[in-house]
Amino acid sequence: MNDRDFTNDLLATEKYMSDSYSIYLNEASNQSLYEDFLSIFTETKNEQRHLYNLMFERGWYSLDAADQQSLQQSYQQFQGYSNQFPYGNNGGIQ
């Protein structure tokens, strides 16, 4: 396993862990445990970001730039979806 594969595996693990912690945080009933897991969740997200930045800097994680037409189409598509949300502009249920 080379450095890129090892780092990619770490990033995937951090993503999985943060997803799992997020589920727990949504369901936690004990305030003390919630706060402990929130702290762990934050550390996990920070490490995930660090690994992403490391991979991006080394060229192991790349992003393709979207063209303006594609961006405009996506914006229009999701703007139409926003009319279907059950929440108004002020966050209340309509």
Side-chain angles (χ1 to χ4, degrees):
M1 213 170 164
N2 60 31
D3 287 347
R4 178 183 179 178
D5 293 339
F6 184 71
T7 306
N8 192 49
D9 187 54
L10 286 171
L11 179 60
T13 300
E14 293 292 337
K15 288 179 178 182
Y16 173 77
M17 289 171 51
S18 67
D19 287 346
S20 298
Y21 290 140
S22 181
I23 292 168
Y24 174 82
L25 291 169
N26 290 333
E27 308 271 334
S29 61
N30 181 288
Q31 185 63 32
S32 179
L33 285 175
Y34 173 84
E35 291 170 8
D36 288 343
F37 271 83
L38 182 59
S39 175
I40 295 168
F41 173 79
T42 301
E43 290 175 20
T44 302
K45 293 304 278 185
N46 288 338
E47 186 59 29
Q48 178 184 335
R49 186 66 182 171
H50 171 75
L51 290 166
Y52 165 81
N53 286 335
L54 175 69
M55 292 187 72
F56 191 79
E57 288 168 4
R58 294 190 179 181
W60 298 339
Y61 201 115
S62 62
L63 303 172
D64 295 329
D67 61 79
Q68 187 62 36
Q69 181 181 359
S70 176
L71 289 173
Q72 187 63 32
Q73 287 174 341
S74 294
Y75 175 79
Q76 290 173 351
Q77 177 184 0
F78 289 103
Q79 189 66 26
Y81 291 160
S82 68
N83 296 330
Q84 301 173 25
F85 294 154
Y87 303 100
N89 291 336
N90 62 2
I93 296 177
Q94 293 182 355

